[in-house]
Amino acid sequence: MDVGITIQRAYEKQHPWVDLSAIGFCYVIDFATMGQINRQTQRKRRVRRRLDMVYPLVSGTLPKSQSWPASPGAAAGAGASSSPPGVGGGKGSRPGLGTLNRSHLQRLAIAQSRVLIASGVPTVPVKNLTGSSPVNPALAGITGILMSAAGLPVCLTRPPKLVLHPPPVSKSEIQSIPGISHSCRKTTKKQAKKGKTPEEVLKKYLQKVRHPPDEDCTICMERLSAPSGYKGPQPAVKPDLVGKLVKCSHVFHLHCLVAMYNNGNKDGSLQCPTCKTIYGVKTGTQPPGKMEYHIIPHALPGHADCKTIRIIYNIPPGVQGPEHPNPGKSFTARGFPRHCYLPDSEKGRKVLKLLLVAWDRRLIFAIGTSSTTGESDTVIWNEIHHKTEFGSNLTGHGYPDINYLDNVLAELAAQGITEESLAQEKD
């Protein structure tokens, strides 16, 4: 007989109620009146069964040791003598739930769940079986309640575990990465060549435009045929001069481009505000720190055919420099050292080499406001995503993720870091 049909008949005919107190929740669902009752507050509310959903049928039989209550009347009050949902009754019945304590009831519910899982019944992860979860029990059980009300079996499972770090690794098991010198790198700070004014820096990226097009400058939003609308500190160029960037051909007031450059990192590079094309070598404002990298003898989920590259970033708290948001003010550095992981494959090593370029150019971290904690003047990630979860992907920062390596290569390219950058770094 189909397990799905057996369970449905049992719920609707033999046992038209579900008491969730057996697994730590204070709700009773009564299918006869289609009501939900809180056993602590006695508050009642109506529930509705969806009629447009087809019951999932699976083939197989349930073990004889599982049994349904002999009659609906057995659940008349608190501590009623009843058995967990199953198939059969009478001689096969287990002791009444009223004679079992909370831990026994939880083990009984978990054992029943395993039977349903083995039979192919859909499962619902519920995290609060032991009461240790910060999630409110009512919230943890709401999915199960709704599924019960819809006539679906509720099968409790233990949630998957978060695995942030690999198993312990001894020093003798750590290997250097072939083709990459050293295993540690400290932050370097590259400055623009001294003696060059902003106008001189930008001159090599621009062509003068004598007859500006009939459109707006996307920096000041004034017409290109009119003088620049920039009202800040005045650059040493005429406000009516117009220039075109040589690669992307976007046109701006020269006055506006110089002002934009002066408000940036002033590192000798320029990024088009319209299409983000980078001119020169873009660098960031990452504070001083250390980057370590090596191979460990463990495989990442989805990359069982290779070992793992582990990256360890360590940035201490300090005082902000002139390139930071609040010069002279202290900044915090939460969560360091931060461990990140790449597969030790050909593409994984390529990503590492480009990450080393990004580190040297001070582009991996910045000082700003944390999007997770809201803390200001703290070290934050800077638009190059890393995988910080080793053996799972519960947070979205782990494996398996078949698109991650391609995505991070695209993010690096958006910062001006490509394979051509590797040759530039050697020069």
Side-chain angles (χ1 to χ4, degrees):
M1 179 181 290
D2 288 317
V3 173
I5 295 176
T6 302
I7 294 175
Q8 187 173 14
R9 286 176 179 173
Y11 267 103
E12 296 180 350
K13 295 182 179 180
Q14 300 178 28
H15 185 46
W17 55 268
V18 178
D19 186 351
L20 298 180
S21 64
I23 53 174
F25 306 113
C26 58
Y27 295 104
V28 174
I29 303 295
D30 188 342
F31 289 106
T33 62
M34 294 307 291
Q36 171 189 321
I37 306 171
N38 187 313
R39 296 191 63 172
Q40 293 179 353
T41 65
Q42 295 302 309
R43 181 180 178 183
K44 299 180 181 180
R45 60 182 293 183
R46 289 190 57 78
V47 294
R48 184 175 62 181
R49 180 184 305 229
R50 289 185 59 177
L51 300 178
D52 59 336
M53 298 178 66
V54 179
Y55 194 93
L57 302 181
V58 291
S59 299
T61 59
L62 292 176
K64 294 180 180 179
S65 59
Q66 302 292 325
S67 60
W68 292 93
S71 66
S81 176
S82 60
S83 299
V87 177
K91 295 181 180 180
S93 299
R94 293 190 175 188
L97 296 180
T99 65
L100 301 178
N101 60 30
R102 180 185 173 92
S103 62
H104 289 155
L105 291 171
Q106 289 176 348
R107 285 199 295 271
L108 198 60
I110 293 172
Q112 176 196 344
S113 298
R114 289 173 178 166
V115 172
L116 292 175
I117 294 171
S119 302
V121 174
T123 62
V124 179
V126 178
K127 296 184 178 181
N128 209 30
L129 291 180
T130 63
S132 60
S133 169
V135 179
N136 186 291
L139 295 177
I142 192 65
T143 302
I145 293 170
L146 294 175
M147 287 189 68
S148 295
L152 297 174
V154 178
C155 182
L156 300 178
T157 66
R158 295 190 182 277
K161 293 183 178 180
L162 181 70
V163 183
L164 289 177
H165 302 291
V169 178
S170 64
K171 289 185 178 180
S172 61
E173 294 178 301
I174 294 176
Q175 302 175 354
S176 59
I177 303 172
I180 299 179
S181 60
H182 309 294
S183 61
C184 176
R185 192 168 296 190
K186 294 185 178 181
T187 301
T188 58
K189 185 174 180 180
K190 296 184 178 181
Q191 298 287 352
K193 293 182 180 180
K194 294 182 179 180
K196 286 200 172 185
T197 64
E199 293 80 8
E200 291 173 326
V201 170
L202 299 185
K203 186 177 180 180
K204 58 184 177 181
Y205 307 138
L206 293 167
Q207 293 178 344
K208 286 186 178 181
V209 176
R210 295 185 178 181
H211 304 287
D214 186 23
E215 58 188 48
D216 290 343
C217 170
T218 57
I219 299 176
C220 70
M221 302 310 295
E222 295 289 345
R223 303 301 285 180
L224 289 169
S225 56
S228 168
Y230 176 69
K231 303 299 182 183
Q234 296 298 303
V237 292
K238 295 180 180 181
D240 57 349
L241 292 180
V242 174
K244 179 175 69 175
L245 293 173
V246 293
K247 289 183 182 178
C248 61
S249 299
H250 287 118
V251 181
F252 307 92
H253 289 117
L254 186 57
H255 198 83
C256 294
L257 286 174
V258 173
M260 184 181 74
Y261 180 85
N262 284 330
N263 288 329
N265 199 23
K266 291 182 253 187
D267 59 357
S269 72
L270 179 72
Q271 189 163 17
C272 175
T274 300
C275 66
K276 306 305 179 184
T277 297
I278 295 173
Y279 295 82
V281 177
K282 180 181 178 180
T283 62
T285 60
Q286 177 178 291
K290 182 171 66 173
M291 175 183 180
E292 299 177 71
Y293 39 94
H294 48 250
I295 296 174
I296 57 175
H298 300 293
L300 292 164
H303 297 276
D305 58 339
C306 63
K307 297 179 181 179
T308 297
I309 297 171
R310 179 169 62 184
I311 304 170
I312 303 176
Y313 294 112
N314 205 346
I315 294 179
V319 178
Q320 299 181 52
E323 72 274 28
H324 294 136
N326 297 297
K329 186 177 180 180
S330 61
F331 67 87
T332 59
R334 310 292 186 191
F336 289 94
R338 299 186 185 182
H339 292 225
C340 307
Y341 305 96
L342 291 168
D344 184 30
S345 60
E346 182 179 354
K347 185 177 284 188
R349 293 185 186 185
K350 175 183 176 181
V351 169
L352 175 63
K353 291 177 181 178
L354 296 178
L355 287 175
L356 289 171
V357 176
W359 175 265
D360 288 342
R361 296 183 183 179
R362 306 172 69 202
L363 290 168
I364 293 181
F365 295 98
I367 294 177
T369 300
S370 171
S371 60
T372 55
T373 67
E375 182 180 12
S376 59
D377 298 301
T378 191
V379 179
I380 59 174
W381 294 103
N382 187 38
E383 300 181 4
I384 300 175
H385 287 83
H386 286 63
K387 292 296 188 181
T388 54
E389 195 177 343
F390 175 80
S392 56
N393 196 17
L394 300 185
T395 65
H397 301 299
Y399 295 91
D401 184 343
I402 59 174
N403 298 316
Y404 171 66
L405 295 178
D406 290 327
N407 289 342
V408 74
L409 286 172
E411 290 172 345
L412 287 161
Q415 299 289 336
I417 301 174
T418 62
E419 289 189 76
E420 296 178 357
S421 305
L422 300 176
Q424 293 175 3
E425 292 298 306
K426 292 179 181 179
D427 295 341

